[in-house]
Amino acid sequence: MVAIGDVAPDFTLRSHEGEEVSLAGFRGSQWVVLHTFPLAFTGG
């Protein structure tokens, strides 16, 4: 589990446009916000 203040591990996800986006591509930025919809389109 990642705690507040921890450095997030690098990961790669697909954007809503289908492009791969890696957290490493944002290194040096002041803030990164990751917003997910874990139950979107699952019927649950």
Side-chain angles (χ1 to χ4, degrees):
M1 178 167 266
V2 179
I4 295 173
D6 285 355
V7 175
D10 190 27
F11 57 87
T12 302
L13 301 172
R14 292 203 180 271
S15 72
H16 67 282
E17 296 172 339
E19 299 175 19
E20 287 192 353
V21 178
S22 176
L23 183 61
F26 293 96
R27 292 278 184 236
S29 298
Q30 187 173 7
W31 294 95
V32 174
V33 176
L34 175 65
H35 189 123
T36 63
F37 296 93
L39 297 177
F41 309 111
T42 62

